[in-house]
Amino acid sequence: MNTRSRLPALALIAGAVLLHSPAVPAQSQEDIERVLARVERADIDQLGSYARELSELGEGTAPRLRTTVGEASPKARIAICQALILLEETSEARNWLLDLVKDDYRKYPAEVLRAAIRLLGSPEFQDDPEVVVSLRQRMEEVLDPHLQLAFASALYEVSAKDRVEATRTK
């Protein structure tokens, strides 16, 4: 068999192997699940380190995190969204954070909501119209003064207009 006739066969075999390979190696999936299990037992202040750990698991982590976030607990969702932001998957993270913040705020622990609001106040969402409108609207709707302060602080960080308003002297 000459070299020319072997090339199509080799290409077919290589294609079959690539098609049946998982996007994320099994070890990475196990690593993600292991980190998320630790997130559930962690204090809210530790979520940033777990998010960094998730973001450093290697190539192919972002797709697995995107499929996991829908079924994740609110605390795990915060860590996943922060990891997605670190992986520069900001639009996905923004949508899930906004869903959490727009939901009935009494369903979640206040610390989880404050963490979600703080993430929405990240530089990655600077002047994002959907984030700015949502933060402004929710700030006016919630009754908890601590959450109102968190919304105002995040709004100050992402909205140049609100920052100017807040610093104006009357």
Side-chain angles (χ1 to χ4, degrees), residues 84-101:
L84 287 171
I85 291 168
L86 291 170
L87 292 167
E88 298 180 5
E89 300 274 341
T90 55
S91 64
E92 304 265 348
R94 179 199 67 202
N95 294 339
W96 286 308
L97 289 168
L98 286 174
D99 287 346
L100 187 83
V101 169

Side-chain angles (χ1 to χ4, degrees), residues 97-160:
L97 289 168
L98 286 174
D99 287 346
L100 187 83
V101 169
K102 288 178 181 178
D103 203 357
D104 182 2
Y105 70 93
R106 295 168 291 209
K107 287 172 52 176
Y108 306 107
E111 64 182 7
V112 170
L113 283 173
R114 282 193 298 273
I117 296 164
R118 197 171 27 248
L119 282 176
L120 286 170
S122 299
E124 290 81 7
F125 304 117
Q126 181 75 34
D127 294 319
D128 181 311
E130 190 174 356
V131 171
V132 170
V133 167
S134 295
L135 289 173
R136 195 177 293 134
Q137 180 182 2
R138 291 302 287 163
M139 182 176 67
E140 294 171 3
E141 294 172 351
V142 298
L143 301 176
D144 182 327
H146 298 288
L147 288 177
Q148 286 178 334
L149 183 60
F151 279 113
S153 177
L155 194 54
Y156 180 87
E157 294 299 325
V158 296
S159 170

Side-chain angles (χ1 to χ4, degrees), residues 4-170:
R4 248 188 181 175
S5 61
R6 281 189 270 172
L7 284 178
L10 288 173
L12 250 168
I13 292 169
V17 168
L18 288 174
L19 284 175
H20 294 293
S21 298
V24 179
Q27 185 60 40
S28 292
Q29 292 177 10
E30 290 171 9
D31 290 342
I32 290 170
E33 291 168 11
R34 180 183 45 77
V35 173
L36 291 178
R38 292 191 346 240
V39 163
E40 294 305 323
R41 298 184 303 270
D43 291 331
I44 202 79
D45 297 332
Q46 296 172 313
L47 296 185
S49 64
Y50 291 119
R52 268 187 299 290
E53 190 175 339
L54 284 169
S55 70
E56 293 169 354
L57 287 177
E59 195 173 315
T61 302
R64 176 67 181 143
L65 291 175
R66 285 193 304 268
T67 61
T68 305
V69 75
E71 65 218 28
S73 71
K75 198 190 294 189
R77 185 182 291 192
I78 299 296
I80 291 169
C81 287
Q82 190 169 0
L84 287 171
I85 291 168
L86 291 170
L87 292 167
E88 298 180 5
E89 300 274 341
T90 55
S91 64
E92 304 265 348
R94 179 199 67 202
N95 294 339
W96 286 308
L97 289 168
L98 286 174
D99 287 346
L100 187 83
V101 169
K102 288 178 181 178
D103 203 357
D104 182 2
Y105 70 93
R106 295 168 291 209
K107 287 172 52 176
Y108 306 107
E111 64 182 7
V112 170
L113 283 173
R114 282 193 298 273
I117 296 164
R118 197 171 27 248
L119 282 176
L120 286 170
S122 299
E124 290 81 7
F125 304 117
Q126 181 75 34
D127 294 319
D128 181 311
E130 190 174 356
V131 171
V132 170
V133 167
S134 295
L135 289 173
R136 195 177 293 134
Q137 180 182 2
R138 291 302 287 163
M139 182 176 67
E140 294 171 3
E141 294 172 351
V142 298
L143 301 176
D144 182 327
H146 298 288
L147 288 177
Q148 286 178 334
L149 183 60
F151 279 113
S153 177
L155 194 54
Y156 180 87
E157 294 299 325
V158 296
S159 170
K161 178 184 173 199
D162 289 281
R163 192 171 27 259
V164 168
E165 285 291 319
T167 56
R168 245 188 228 163
T169 56
K170 304 241 177 190

